Amino acid sequence: MLSDSVELIEPPENSIMVGTGKGGVGKSTIAAHLAGHTAAQGKRTLLVCVTSQDDDDLGIKRFGRGIQPDGPSVVDGQGLYRSISERSPLMPIREVRPNLDVVPGGVAVGELVQLLMHRMMTEGVGVVLSLARSLAPLAPWYDQIVFDSAPENDSLEQLAAAAARYLVVPTRSDDSSISGMQRIARNFKAVRKQANPSLRVAGAFLYASNPTATSMHAEVKEDIREVLGNGTTIFSKVVGYREKPARNARKKGLLFAEYAELLPTSARSYDVAAGRAKVADVVPEAIIGLSGDMRDLNNEILLHCGRGD
Ligand SMILES: Nc1ncnc2c1ncn2[C@@H]1O[C@H](COP(=O)(O)OP(=O)(O)OP(=O)(O)O)[C@@H](O)[C@H]1O
Ligand SMILES: [Mg+2]
């Protein structure tokens, strides 16, 4: 299938894809937080959401965060779709946070699948580098690039993998999440062989699990290595399962660290009982642990992707 004319594109030095074959394991949460983390460190960061589900962790749609580029709307994946379809540079929403620009995902990203299939027939496998090509003119402006990816979709997973240097693989502990990793393992191999020889698996990790279940964690590590290979680095940080603060933060379009800052001035349960506040106004105390866990995970990811600072 590989045609001789495929012109390889060296992926940006500090580009990381968060990917795994299974849906709902935490990819978008992790990608948004990793991008927010490096931006808060003062690194010019770009988050590219190659997923048809836009969870809006950063409050772009719901709270109008960031500066939209001139021209037609880029939200709901429309900007990403247009850049690929017109073979033009990506058009990020700028300054969603200081130093953080975002190419949002959304429903239009799903439409890319057909476009890519169609082009594949006439242009061959080089089509998988479409995102890498649209990113290349912007890449030098950024210190860090993070890709969120789509679940259960080979074309979109390959599109992101062809543009990234590092892949990090989150998983939950259940069997279907573990076997879901087979998809990313397959796509990793295919992309590395045919389009992006620089791609590396920086590591895999268990996400959203009870931190005290250490014997179960050991079993999961074995499972991960069985799927991804014996030499796979497994990150030590396991972000705890904390549904309520994770859900509330996303609804408010806030990163965990930002949501945690609201805790000191938050309404309390007794305010709700007295009718002075709504349940939604109470910031759960567990946000502190969740925010700390996520910070540690982000630092570990960056360490293994060659950025220890
Ligand atoms: N530490 C956590 N504990 C509990 N729930 C969490 C945690 N982190 C994220 N979540 C929740 O898990 C759900 C799935 O997360 P997320 O959307 O990031 O996964 P995903 O892999 O991107 O999903 P999809 O495959 O649908 O794109 C969301 O409701 C999110 O709020
Ligand atoms: Mg997602």
Side-chain angles (χ1 to χ4, degrees):
M1 268 271 273
L2 188 60
S3 97
D4 289 339
S5 60
V6 173
E7 201 180 308
L8 300 184
I9 297 175
E10 188 65 15
E13 195 58 47
N14 301 310
S15 50
I16 304 174
M17 169 184 174
V18 183
T20 185
K22 175 77 166 52
V25 300
K27 295 179 297 297
S28 300
T29 308
I30 296 159
H33 282 80
L34 181 60
H37 180 93
T38 58
Q41 289 178 326
K43 292 172 190 150
R44 286 172 305 177
T45 302
L46 177 66
L47 171 65
V48 185
C49 301
V50 193
T51 166
S52 55
Q53 174 144 353
D54 181 16
D55 300 300
D56 203 17
D57 288 273
L58 293 157
I60 293 172
K61 259 179 83 177
R62 265 169 297 169
F63 303 101
R65 305 287 297 250
I67 305 159
Q68 303 272 340
D70 292 338
S73 170
V74 298
V75 297
D76 296 326
Q78 295 172 84
L80 183 56
Y81 181 87
R82 239 182 352 263
S83 296
I84 304 279
S85 126
E86 292 171 8
R87 305 174 202 269
S88 56
L90 295 177
M91 299 272 278
I93 296 179
R94 289 185 302 109
E95 293 291 294
V96 169
R97 299 292 189 276
N99 303 311
L100 178 56
D101 297 353
V102 178
V103 176
V107 67
V109 174
E111 292 162 24
L112 275 174
V113 175
Q114 239 191 332
L115 176 78
L116 295 170
M117 295 287 190
H118 186 74
R119 283 188 178 167
M120 184 80 92
M121 287 192 275
T122 49
E123 298 173 30
V125 294
V127 167
V128 78
L129 286 159
S130 305
L131 174 59
R133 282 193 209 101
S134 289
L135 173 65
L138 290 74
W141 292 101
Y142 293 101
D143 303 314
Q144 182 72 57
I145 298 170
V146 179
F147 299 94
D148 182 15
S149 65
E152 288 144 45
N153 188 303
D154 289 335
S155 307
L156 296 178
E157 226 169 66
Q158 291 176 8
L159 196 65
R165 184 169 296 265
Y166 297 104
L167 170 66
V168 294
V169 184
T171 185
R172 296 255 171 122
S173 59
D174 59 290
D175 282 348
S176 70
S177 294
I178 302 281
S179 57
M181 284 191 297
Q182 279 161 356
R183 178 190 295 277
I184 195 76
R186 209 175 49 234
N187 286 329
F188 167 77
K189 281 186 197 135
V191 167
R192 198 171 132 88
K193 189 162 170 216
Q194 302 185 65
N196 179 10
S198 303
L199 184 64
R200 299 278 177 276
V201 176
F205 53 99
L206 181 58
Y207 181 76
S209 180
N210 176 355
T212 59
T214 46
S215 58
M216 190 265 285
H217 294 175
E219 277 174 34
V220 172
K221 280 181 192 173
E222 286 311 306
D223 292 345
I224 292 175
R225 289 204 165 112
E226 226 165 82
V227 177
L228 293 181
N230 264 334
T232 308
T233 302
I234 314 271
F235 301 156
S236 61
K237 185 72 209 175
V238 177
V239 173
Y241 184 82
R242 297 190 181 92
E243 195 172 6
K244 199 168 172 197
R247 181 183 138 85
N248 287 7
R250 176 173 272 183
K251 272 182 114 173
K252 290 183 185 293
L254 295 174
L255 296 170
F256 298 158
E258 296 167 338
Y259 191 42
E261 281 172 17
L262 302 183
L263 186 59
T265 53
S266 157
R268 306 283 159 187
S269 316
Y270 50 77
D271 295 316
V272 177
R276 289 190 296 267
K278 293 190 222 119
V279 176
D281 299 328
V282 179
V283 180
E285 303 234 349
I287 188 61
I288 298 292
L290 183 58
S291 167
D293 279 0
M294 186 56 95
R295 182 198 56 227
D296 294 348
L297 174 66
N298 289 330
N299 281 328
E300 198 173 1
I301 291 174
L302 293 170
L303 187 73
H304 285 279
C305 294
R307 309 256 317 170
D309 48 349

